[in-house]
Amino acid sequence: MAGIPFFPMNLDHLSPELDFALKFARQAADVAFQVERDMVLSTLTKDDRSPVTTADFAIQALAGRLIHEAFPGDILVAEESAAMIKDGKAPASLEEITKVLARIWPETTADKIFEWVDRGTGVPGDRFWTLDPIDGTKGFIRGDQYATALALVVKGEVQLGVLTCPRLAIERGKATVVRGNEGSVLIACRGQGAWSAPLKNGTAFAALAVSSAHDPSEAVVVRSYEDSHTNTDQLDRLVEALGIQSAPVRMDSQAKYAVVAAGAADLLLRFRSSNRQYDAAKIWDHAAGALIVQEAGGCVTDLHGKPLDFSAGRTLARNEGLLASNRHLHGAALAGLRAIAEDRG
Ligand code: AMP
Ligand code: MG
């Protein structure tokens, strides 16, 4: 398949940000791969009981430093904070983070790491970057899918999104699980389209396009790997209501958006989990992936058909759940969701 020329001239107005995002994405994938290859993958457990690894902190530190250098004054809103590695309770993790970053910047110290990581504690404003350093940490640890997700949000709209999916190779209409960092980088600019390229080949970008499936019964559905991140009862009922024949594919992280954008899946569904410790969806879990699906021709809303509102702070507080589709199946999915909601009374 022939790649399209990159970058088209009409992307020029965003080129410094685009250029930056792509370089960052590849560096982040290198860091994640180094951690995967060389480290014990020691994990810490956050207050919400989710795990966090050396790679989460190292990639957030990388972004904190690089964004500050490239766009001084830009705000970063990211998943982690340095509190857990600051209190001296995780010396092994801090040592590993220092080792990874010292390969890029030999002068790296613990204090510098705290400063770079905590640059991600910014408050969303008119223009900010949002980052999930390792989206799908559980998948990263398990050997399944994970992603690094970075997006630029301006006046509540995602303008630019980049995803690395190091364990997902993408061709038009096809996504293949791969090992190490043989996977893909995906990028989208609002109004300009979405592309993917192999992580290891800087220039081979090809346009992403969603599937043309129109028949709900034939739809390929993707859902979170972890049952606790969604509501499997509601998902089962929707699958039944739409007459969907194949079992939903379980996948961690925004790799789910990547497979929809590539046309390898038709519907992505996320129901509110019954876990009370997890309040609302975080903006960094959706910003990059949602733009990539939209720019590949798909449609992304919440479960009520409302557009995602990225101006509500660090969470999507004004939305409930998530539906991403190839656009053709969106109406049928929303109708199915209404039907199962009415059924519940
Ligand atoms: P997924 O890969 O679809 O399982 O989504 C991963 C994301 O789910 C993580 O980055 C978390 O922000 C989020 N998450 C963690 N715990 C929960 C939970 N109990 N319910 C819903 N989402 C969660
Ligand atoms: Mg995440």
Side-chain angles (χ1 to χ4, degrees), residues 252-277:
D252 300 278
S253 83
Q254 286 170 71
K256 291 189 280 300
Y257 282 104
V259 293
V260 173
D266 312 303
L267 288 171
L268 156 52
L269 279 147
R270 187 179 195 93
F271 289 89
R272 195 188 167 88
S273 86
S274 50
N275 183 337
R276 298 254 172 256
Q277 260 157 341

Side-chain angles (χ1 to χ4, degrees), residues 79 132 134-137 253-254 282 284-285:
E79 177 160 20
D132 195 338
I134 297 283
D135 180 24
T137 306
S253 83
Q254 286 170 71
K282 307 293 192 288
W284 50 80
D285 280 330

Side-chain angles (χ1 to χ4, degrees), residues 151-193:
L152 176 65
V153 183
V154 182
K155 295 191 194 320
E157 278 199 336
V158 187
Q159 293 295 334
L160 169 71
V162 64
L163 270 188
T164 68
C165 297
R167 296 177 185 156
L168 193 73
I170 288 173
E171 281 173 69
R172 193 185 291 270
K174 208 171 128 203
T176 316
V177 174
V178 290
R179 301 184 71 79
N181 61 350
E182 299 289 319
S184 317
V185 56
L186 299 89
I187 190 145
C189 288
R190 176 168 292 275
Q192 314 282 344

